[in-house]
């Protein structure tokens, strides 16, 4: 999500940039690479994903990655 403000600069306005739905259960951890090119997520469904932030494409998904 990206936040901006109205013309008076007082009321925050939220704009959805992208919705990523790669997990079956809630996401527990989110990390962005230092160059901001990829997003890593880990979920309660025991999977992790790597998403290209430019395109929103799922690059890697590992299921049953932890207990």
């Amino acid at each position: 999500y990206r936040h901006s403000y109205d013309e008076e600069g007082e009321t925050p306005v939220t704009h959805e940039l992208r919705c990523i739905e790669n997990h079956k259960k809630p996401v527990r951890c989110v990390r962005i690479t230092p160059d901001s090119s990829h997003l890593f997520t880990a979920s309660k469904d025991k999977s992790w994903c790597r998403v290209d932030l430019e395109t929103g494409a799922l690059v890697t998904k590992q299921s049953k990655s932890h207990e």
Side-chain angles (χ1 to χ4, degrees):
Y1 289 96
R2 175 182 60 124
H3 297 279
S4 61
Y5 291 87
D6 64 9
E7 291 180 17
E8 289 79 36
E10 296 178 8
T11 305
V13 179
T14 301
H15 305 275
E16 183 175 309
L17 298 178
R18 180 165 288 144
C19 182
I20 301 170
E21 299 178 343
N22 296 318
H23 295 286
K24 295 178 182 175
K25 293 189 177 181
V27 170
R28 298 294 189 182
C29 183
V30 175
R31 296 288 184 263
I32 298 175
T33 56
D35 65 358
S36 299
S37 63
H38 291 93
L39 173 76
F40 286 84
T41 58
S43 171
K44 192 173 180 179
D45 66 10
K46 301 181 182 180
S47 70
W48 64 267
C49 295
R50 178 171 55 129
V51 175
D52 182 311
L53 286 176
E54 180 76 24
T55 65
L58 178 64
V59 176
T60 307
K61 182 170 184 174
Q62 177 68 49
S63 298
K64 300 180 183 177
S65 61
H66 59 89
E67 295 195 30

